[in-house]
Amino acid sequence: MTCSIQTAIRQSTQQRSTLLNTDAWVIKCPSSCFSCKLLDRTTCSTAEQPAAEKEQYGQAKELRYKIKEELPKGTFIGAIGVDLSLDFTVDPPFSFSLPQKTLSGQYVNLNNTTGALYTSATEIDRETLCPDTTERQGCVLSLDVFVLPQQYFQLVKVKISIEDVNDNRPRFPVEEISVYVPENAPVNARYAVEQSAVDPDLGFHGVQTYWLVNDFGVFTLDVEENEGGELTPFLIVTETLDRETQAEYVTDIIAEDGGTPPLLGTATLKIVITDVNDNCPQFTESQINATVNGNTTKGSHLARLHASDPDLGANAQISYAYSERVPRDTRGLFHLDRNTGVIKLAGKIDTVTSKFYKLTVLANGPGCIPAVATVTFHIIKVVTGPPAIIPRYIAAEKDGVVTIKESEPAFSPIAFFTVKNTDVNQRVDCHLEGSGPFRLAPFELFKNEYLLETTEPLDYEQTQEYELIVVTKYTRGLDIKTLIKVQVLDENDNAPVFQHSLVELSVEENNPPNTFLTQLQATDQDSERRGEVIYLLGGDAPGVFVVDRTTGVLSVATSLDREEKETYRFIVRAVDKGTPRKESIATVVVTVRDRNDNSPRFINKDFTFFVPENFPGYGEIGVLSVIDADAGENGWVALSIVNGSDVFMIDTGRGALRAKTSLDREQQGTYQLWIEAVDGGEPALSCVTMVTVLLLDVNDNPPIVLFPQSNQSYMLVLPSTLPGTSITEVYAVDKDTGMNAVIAYSIIKRKGGQPGSFAIDPETGNITLKRELSNRGLYSLLVKVSDHGQPEPLHSTVMVNFFVNETVTNESYIQSLLTREADIEVEQKPWYIGQLTERPEKYELFPCQPVLIALSVICLGLFFIVVLLTSYICCKRLKKHRKKRLEVEIPLKMNSDSMQTVNRKLRQISNM
């Protein structure tokens, strides 16, 4: 139901003026006005006219606050009494209370005296509190607060909006996602990855994009958004696929949210290339020649044909058949297995009339032209020869190497050995040489038959290969030895084993995020992938703990609070990569150690304030915010400057730092203060923070010319000096910093010589002769030295004099020329002068002569002081070198080492 505002009247009764610091506007509404949503201090009256005192205070008011989720305990939310403009000097005093313990009330603590709201020990998690709300709907905690006693009774409806923070990473519903793509899929074909990631956060903190760790050069990933705003990744084929070349691609798909920094979710993406019938059978051998003894028994294995088809399933099924060219009686003599391609003897061979048989065999595949192979059997008559031992393998055998799985039980048969061509009266003895759990024993049912079998289970982790020798001894002294190699095949029969089944750890509370706890170690004795171990957290593990799947490093992702929970107990799994997978578990117990964390606390570890120099006295430099989780007197905090200062003071009420006087960066650019916060408890707890006040430079110092030393100094220049020669330089410094201290030089007026006879480097102040000096006498240049300060650059000027002659014979004559007034022509300005000055200026040279001389003397004196101090510290040799240089004129060009030394000293003067 909506509330219509009828009229607004001004109330200023005597009792209301004693309770409120300022008058308040009252909005008259119907009796159902509790549905009105009014902000700040606007009140909604339930009475038509507030005539009585109880009617003035018996009103429903609404206050709205906004905080972020997961704030620590004791975080200030708002002051109800202050926001209602209540006067706390009344008697009896105000009190505040929550009428009932609701679900919303467990998240906040209310100060009954001041009405201040703080977060409680129960952390506010927006995803738990409002699991089904959208970003537009918002998440709101609603509270009813009573203002007492009865004569001041008010009902305050407090609504706290909970803002979302990026505290959840995207998660895929499964760890491994399979996408099936046919090998004949066209380029740009799209396949949806249905198991998209889910992020409980809202808006921009939710899933924003997907990407692949490895696209193998044949895939890419696109993301589509439906009408509901959900993102679905699509796998796009960018190159032609061939299942026979590569049947599977395994990579990781990453889901990324929009937080700062973004959080990532990972799942394994298995791209399975499904088969199509694009290959036909092919024989590995198209010509087979075999020899068959005339006395070969019926059912003997004669030959085997093998054809292969790279396709899968029904597309790879092969059947073998004789060609119609093979006669019917020959087919009856040699039986061909249509599935395996094995040819066996099905009758008795006539060695008198037949010498060889030629068979044509076809390999048929679905939808294919048959492949053709030819088998030729050469029949030979049997003549009794020397004794021989014939092995017949039961276990898998290839090239005389027998393979057997380690999971086979004891007494598993490996091979039969048959002794041939023995006389009736000849005695044969067979035995086994070599170590290992094997035995060779006579077979009970037949003579001259021996069975090779294991005596106990094999273990790949102990021995991988055995070499056995079957020795056959005859009574005539003939020995026949047959070598057999037995390889044990590894199986996933060992589970990973933790070094410790119980891991007890401790970590101090308030730890930084991603704190290292320990590195779990589990070993698996199996080989290859069966022995590779990955680490996973059990289902009971809290979300604050993270374990690296590969290294087993266990860390805690967020800060822990012992007051919330002291002990965490959960399971960690070690899983191998065998089939089927085996795993073991270990129990991890993490104990959170306590710290004294209820002392006053500044919101920052230290404070840095940037203040422009010449900042007015008693101006507010910055505010030091401090909080204390305690209540009452224990929560009262007083601030003081520990290291003492006559320049600064601190306002204890607001925590405002002020300067008593105006500050000058050139005198001191940085101030460091130690501020102590002491609460009112017994004994008192305190904390200290460092405050750094940095003064920002203001362009309040013009450049100071150090050379030439005065406007009356001069330099002798020979008439034979060639154009392009550097004859002197102007050197100046600026006490300011940054662009305020960057100096530019320019010639603005001259006396003597033609225009353009001299040029000055705007950056170094180096003066170069541009034209030949045809006339002897005195030349004067007025040089302007300007900085790049803002908003208005400052500058100084200096007169640079040159006396053109071979020698100086009349010093007084030169001095008279220097003191004589004369017009100085304006030099044509180079391109950069217009950037430094806005309009030409008139300079009066000689009337300022005393001032220039005084400044030159001061600068020269400062220069000598710096040089003397440096000489005292340096060695005597450097001291002698400096003294000699002070006695003579500074040369036009200095070597690089001397120039760097002078520049360093001049910078020291600038800093002074």
Side-chain angles (χ1 to χ4, degrees), residues 334-368:
F334 301 99
H335 176 265
L336 173 64
D337 191 302
R338 60 177 290 105
N339 295 320
T340 63
V342 173
I343 299 177
K344 294 182 179 181
L345 185 64
K348 185 176 181 181
I349 300 176
D350 185 1
T351 60
V352 177
T353 60
S354 301
K355 294 184 178 180
F356 73 92
Y357 294 88
K358 188 175 182 180
L359 310 176
T360 302
V361 181
L362 305 179
N364 298 297
C368 293

Side-chain angles (χ1 to χ4, degrees), residues 35-51:
S35 63
C36 295
K37 296 183 177 180
L38 304 178
L39 301 177
D40 300 332
R41 298 179 181 176
T42 305
T43 61
C44 185
S45 173
T46 59
E48 288 294 332
Q49 184 174 359

Side-chain angles (χ1 to χ4, degrees), residues 650-687:
I650 191 165
D651 184 353
T652 302
R654 293 185 63 249
L657 183 65
R658 305 177 188 274
K660 298 179 182 179
T661 59
S662 178
L663 305 176
D664 188 358
R665 189 201 65 80
E666 281 71 27
Q667 294 182 3
Q668 185 172 347
T670 303
Y671 296 87
Q672 287 188 339
L673 306 174
W674 290 97
I675 308 300
E676 182 181 27
V678 182
D679 62 22
E682 290 293 333
L685 299 177
S686 64
C687 66

